[in-house]
Amino acid sequence: MNNQKIGIIGCGFVGATIAYTLVSSGMFSEIVLIDIDEKRAAGEAMDLAHCLPFISPMQIYAGDYKDLADASIVVITAGANQKEGETRLDLACKNAKITADIVERISAVNRDCILLMVANPVDILTKVALCTSHFPPSRVIGSGTVLDTARLKFLVGERLGVDSRNVHTFIIGEHGDSEVAVFSSANVSGVDLSLFCRECCDDCDTSDLSGLFEDVRDAAYRIIDAKGATYYAIAEAVRRIAEAIVRDEHTILPVSTVADGHYGIDGVCLGLPCIVGRNGIERVLEIPLNGEEEGRLRRSADSLKEIIASLGPQYSKGLSVGV
């Protein structure tokens, strides 16, 4: 495998922005773009190649699935777009078929890569990719709630008047309407969030911050309403995941992975804090949750299980709704 080669399938807004972000990062020496619209992929590759005199040398080109044979990571963004007023779960039936076809094509030429799912609904499609590829769960990773967590950190930091990089908390569960904000263990550079609010903020408490969760949950809908799609922040989220893999960082990110008894949940993919390194997901962590958060996480899992069950028995192995 070429650890500095990555493939991106889907050259729409999200795929093209991810490609630009990865070109700018200098992490890879070779990027392959694949799209059903071959002319679009060629155009994106040409435009990106013209950036190279300003940054690090590399190869970037439009290709076919055979060009993925030695790619260490394959990012899948291809799928139907989320329309205004449409939830991520509404996309499930349409995009499950697209994902299964793409994963079969990848598996035919490369069975050693890491699959990085970005297309929505990402948790559902991560399970589809896992079941279709028969790869180890460690090498099928969804972007999960990495973006949602970044949105929460940004809003909390803005509310508290501190650098959002000093805010430590997670969004877990579905990347979507049933996601769960973990405030019970949140902190600002090691200072418990509730204590920080009492000591450092005259007009703020944790109940005020809890209201920010709705802004995180609904952010995509507002952005789609304003400009038609979201792509900058998810591109940075994908870059961060890829960086953790390429640099073997063993960093903790809330990516989408299959739950195997974690919090009493089995057989469904959803965002959970994971240690991510060169080989993909090294370990799933069970961070402390209070009773309300754990209950909401299980309900989030159940909502995803119902959708997966509706896609067919090939994806339903290990599901037990109502756990």
Side-chain angles (χ1 to χ4, degrees):
M1 304 301 293
N2 182 347
N3 289 327
Q4 288 194 308
K5 181 175 180 179
I6 190 169
I8 300 173
I9 301 178
C11 293
F13 284 124
V14 172
T17 308
I18 289 171
Y20 174 73
T21 304
L22 295 179
V23 166
S24 300
S25 75
M27 282 191 294
F28 296 95
S29 61
E30 189 172 350
I31 299 180
V32 186
L33 303 182
I34 299 174
D35 196 278
I36 192 170
D37 183 345
E38 296 178 358
K39 185 176 180 180
R40 173 66 180 267
E44 295 290 358
M46 183 182 298
D47 197 9
L48 287 165
H50 295 165
C51 300
L52 298 182
F54 304 106
I55 49 180
S56 302
M58 66 175 303
Q59 287 181 278
I60 180 163
Y61 56 93
D64 201 346
Y65 285 89
K66 65 180 183 297
D67 296 305
L68 300 175
D70 60 341
S72 61
I73 303 172
V74 180
V75 180
I76 301 176
T77 74
N81 292 327
Q82 185 177 359
K83 299 177 181 178
E84 183 178 347
E86 185 177 45
T87 69
R88 295 178 179 91
L89 297 184
D90 290 334
L91 294 174
C93 290
K94 291 185 287 186
N95 283 347
K97 294 178 181 179
I98 295 171
T99 295
D101 178 65
I102 289 171
V103 170
E104 286 175 356
R105 289 170 180 255
I106 296 169
S107 299
V109 299
N110 186 338
R111 296 200 56 80
D112 297 312
C113 64
I114 291 173
L115 297 178
L116 180 46
M117 296 301 307
V118 182
N120 279 319
V122 69
D123 304 292
I124 301 295
L125 299 184
T126 301
K127 183 66 186 293
V128 170
L130 180 63
C131 293
T132 304
S133 67
H134 302 291
F135 283 13
S138 61
R139 290 197 285 111
V140 181
I141 306 173
S143 56
T145 50
V146 174
L147 171 55
D148 311 81
T149 296
R151 286 169 171 161
L152 181 61
K153 289 182 177 182
F154 168 77
L155 291 173
V156 171
E158 187 177 52
R159 182 70 179 83
L160 298 181
V162 299
D163 187 338
S164 59
R165 293 172 297 180
N166 298 140
V167 177
H168 303 290
T169 186
F170 288 108
I171 296 280
I172 59 175
E174 178 206 354
H175 171 55
D177 296 341
S178 67
E179 61 191 22
V180 181
V182 181
F183 281 112
S184 62
S185 59
N187 67 84
V188 180
S189 288
V191 180
D192 180 79
L193 183 61
S194 59
L195 177 61
F196 188 93
C197 288
R198 289 197 304 270
E199 298 293 328
C200 302
C201 299
D202 295 331
D203 60 346
C204 177
D205 59 35
T206 51
S207 61
D208 295 328
L209 297 180
S210 297
L212 296 178
F213 166 69
E214 294 182 4
D215 293 332
V216 173
R217 184 194 61 198
D218 299 336
Y221 301 126
R222 295 198 304 276
I223 295 170
I224 290 169
D225 179 61
K227 56 179 271 188
T230 70
Y231 36 90
Y232 294 127
I234 185 58
E236 279 296 328
V238 171
R239 180 203 59 78
R240 185 68 191 93
I241 298 168
E243 182 179 47
I245 296 168
V246 170
R247 295 181 176 170
D248 198 22
E249 289 184 350
H250 314 291
T251 197
I252 298 171
L253 296 168
V255 293
S256 186
T257 188
V258 65
D260 185 18
H262 303 94
Y263 302 104
I265 300 167
D266 285 291
V268 64
C269 292
L270 71 171
L272 295 171
C274 298
I275 300 175
V276 180
R278 175 64 54 82
N279 297 315
I281 294 172
E282 299 173 352
R283 184 175 179 179
V284 182
L285 303 178
E286 288 196 50
I287 61 173
L289 303 177
N290 63 28
E292 180 184 357
E293 291 163 347
E294 186 164 346
R296 290 180 61 197
L297 179 62
R298 292 188 183 189
R299 290 192 292 275
S300 182
D302 283 344
S303 69
L304 290 168
K305 289 174 183 178
E306 290 175 3
I307 299 297
I308 294 169
S310 71
L311 298 180
Q314 68 271 36
Y315 306 126
S316 302
K317 185 178 179 180
L319 293 184
S320 178
V321 177
V323 172

